[in-house]
Amino acid sequence: MEKMKDIMKEKLLEIKEIALKNIEEVKSLEEFEQLRVKFLGKKGELTKVLRDMGKLIAEERPIVGQIANEIRDELENAIAEVGEKLNDELKRSKMNKEKLDITINTNEEIYGHRHPLLATVEELEDLFISMGFSVVIGPEIETVENNFDALNSPENHPSRDMSDTFYITEDILLRTHTSPVQIRAMKEMGAPLRIVSAGRTFRFDDVDDTHSPMFHQLEGLVVDENISMANLIHTLDIFIKELFGPDMKTRYRPHHFPFTEPSAEVDVTCLKCRGKGCEACNYTGWSMELLGCGMVHPKVLEYCGIDSEKYTGFAFGMGIDRITMVKYGIDDIRLLFENDSRFLEQF
Ligand code: PHE
């Protein structure tokens, strides 16, 4: 007859084997808990076997007891290990599901920012409105007639070239300046007239820090009786002082535009050094070519049906991008169009 000791030993080893196999296959925490109770619990398999210890003779008890203890230790370790593994997995999947971005400060309200270009346009328009001008708008897609012909631009003028202008058809183009709005305004409203118009303009330019094929201009036009160059200079001088400060000086250099006669380019005191001379102004003390202007050519008035014997006018145009850059100390025009929020947030 097999000895009780051997039966128990066999039983214990059998339990161990089954338990270890089951442990390996455990998939969920519930399964794990059931398994733990089944093998190690108070009413568990191991305890059941140990209850029969009483049936052993005294010398056999320590031997079986030792085996039982070893097996319990082994099972406890194995079970603890899977338990840890399962808990880790659960934690990880929970964390993945509930991922929080702790870098976002949710208490902070995020406000939109006015684009510096738009802020400049509005400031310019407000200034001219305060001087009695009306704000009008014109289309970005223009006729060749309004963009060139009506503005007295000669047939062979280089700016008409395909290499300078975006043509859509032979007669339609992306306006190269805001001056065609002058034509539209004079044709629609006649004289007297006092308007400004801001918007996008397009020229075939390679992109660099000061050039962009799309840029912005603001156009001004005054037509009335007895309008002279003095009115033009006075208006622009006041405008520049209002915009940049009372200490600003202007300088009118003779220039040529087909649609104005006489024409001038306006330089203003360098904003960086306030006229002292610095690298930005090539040590001249002047910001160059900030505006183009002149007395409206009689041919342009007549083209729009305005009596050039009775009426005269002045017009001016300026690059809004340039003014924005000077105003805010921006040194690369591309920043204005990339809409990088890190850039825009500064304004
Ligand atoms: N349209 C001219 C330009 O784009 C600027 C200008 C406008 C000059 C009005 C004179 C009068 O350069």
Side-chain angles (χ1 to χ4, degrees):
M1 187 184 120
E2 224 176 330
K3 281 191 186 161
M4 188 66 191
K5 178 190 83 170
D6 294 328
I7 297 173
M8 281 180 73
K9 196 175 150 189
E10 222 167 274
K11 250 283 172 52
L12 286 170
L13 288 173
E14 194 184 86
I15 291 174
K16 174 181 145 181
E17 204 177 311
I18 295 172
L20 286 178
K21 198 162 169 257
N22 286 359
I23 289 170
E24 236 177 86
E25 285 163 1
V26 150
K27 290 226 166 48
S28 68
L29 270 176
E30 291 101 84
E31 264 177 55
F32 163 80
E33 190 54 26
Q34 280 164 11
L35 205 72
R36 196 184 63 79
V37 173
K38 184 172 170 203
F39 289 103
L40 298 176
K42 268 195 192 132
K43 291 175 188 161
E45 305 269 336
L46 213 55
T47 325
K48 250 192 257 164
V49 179
L50 294 178
R51 241 183 250 138
D52 289 339
M53 288 280 271
K55 292 177 187 163
L56 293 174
I57 52 167
E59 300 94 273
E60 286 173 341
R61 264 179 227 160
I63 301 166
V64 176
Q66 203 195 337
I67 295 171
N69 280 340
E70 275 171 20
I71 289 178
R72 190 197 294 115
D73 282 352
E74 201 176 327
L75 289 187
E76 269 175 359
N77 283 340
I79 284 178
E81 211 177 292
V82 224
E84 228 168 89
K85 209 178 95 193
L86 284 171
N87 267 319
D88 275 357
E89 268 166 25
L90 189 75
K91 231 190 273 170
R92 209 169 312 127
S93 85
K94 246 191 188 165
M95 278 199 324
N96 281 340
K97 258 189 241 153
E98 300 168 3
K99 219 179 236 173
L100 289 180
D101 184 353
I102 55 163
T103 64
I104 291 176
N105 184 350
T106 50
N107 292 328
E108 192 185 318
E109 286 186 45
I110 298 167
Y111 293 103
H113 292 257
R114 183 168 255 119
H115 195 288
L117 251 180
L118 185 62
T120 305
V121 170
E122 286 176 358
E123 191 182 348
L124 297 178
E125 286 178 346
D126 282 348
L127 272 173
F128 283 108
I129 288 170
S130 75
M131 291 195 258
F133 285 75
S134 311
V135 174
V136 300
I137 51 166
E140 292 165 7
I141 299 176
E142 259 297 0
T143 59
V144 171
E145 186 189 343
N146 284 344
N147 195 85
F148 289 129
D149 299 332
L151 287 162
N152 195 35
S153 146
E155 208 64 61
N156 56 356
H157 197 276
S159 67
R160 284 182 173 242
D161 206 276
M162 292 268 282
S163 61
D164 282 305
T165 298
F166 293 104
Y167 284 90
I168 292 168
T169 66
E170 221 173 279
D171 309 316
I172 308 283
L173 44 65
L174 295 184
R175 66 179 177 190
T176 61
H177 49 178
T178 42
S179 299
V181 187
Q182 289 185 30
I183 303 300
R184 288 176 177 271
M186 283 191 278
K187 275 185 175 165
E188 273 165 39
M189 297 182 258
L193 192 67
R194 211 184 293 187
I195 55 117
V196 287
S197 182
R200 289 196 186 102
T201 47
F202 307 85
R203 285 179 204 176
F204 212 105
D205 254 329
D206 285 330
V207 178
D208 64 23
D209 54 350
T210 55
H211 293 88
S212 162
M214 190 271 289
F215 56 105
H216 299 76
Q217 284 192 339
L218 182 129
E219 191 83 10
L221 172 70
V222 172
V223 180
D224 208 336
E225 290 177 51
N226 300 317
I227 295 291
S228 74
M229 193 89 186
N231 301 122
L232 165 62
I233 291 173
H234 182 66
T235 304
L236 290 183
D237 280 1
I238 289 183
F239 161 70
I240 291 294
K241 284 187 165 63
E242 287 286 332
L243 184 65
F244 293 127
D247 57 328
M248 293 297 286
K249 292 196 173 69
T250 51
R251 183 170 80 172
Y252 294 77
R253 275 181 297 102
H255 198 73
H256 172 77
F257 297 106
F259 35 93
T260 46
E261 181 58 36
S263 306
E265 261 186 349
V266 190
D267 304 332
V268 307
T269 309
C270 173
L271 277 150
K272 253 212 176 128
C273 60
R274 293 271 157 187
K276 286 189 197 80
C278 68
E279 210 173 323
C281 62
N282 265 328
Y283 301 96
T284 60
W286 294 100
S287 264
M288 307 287 277
E289 302 169 24
L290 221 61
L291 289 125
C293 63
M295 300 305 294
V296 181
H297 199 293
K299 271 196 190 167
V300 175
L301 293 174
E302 293 293 340
Y303 194 96
C304 299
I306 292 173
D307 181 356
S308 64
E309 294 291 324
K310 187 173 175 201
Y311 292 104
T312 48
F314 69 78
F316 54 90
M318 63 191 85
I320 300 172
D321 317 85
R322 209 29 226 301
I323 290 176
T324 306
M325 288 166 76
V326 172
K327 238 178 107 60
Y328 292 96
I330 299 163
D331 54 10
D332 192 327
I333 194 171
R334 289 169 287 202
L335 288 166
L336 293 176
F337 307 129
E338 280 165 358
N339 286 333
D340 185 328
S341 59
R342 289 167 301 183
F343 167 74
L344 295 176
E345 269 164 16
Q346 299 172 61
F347 302 97

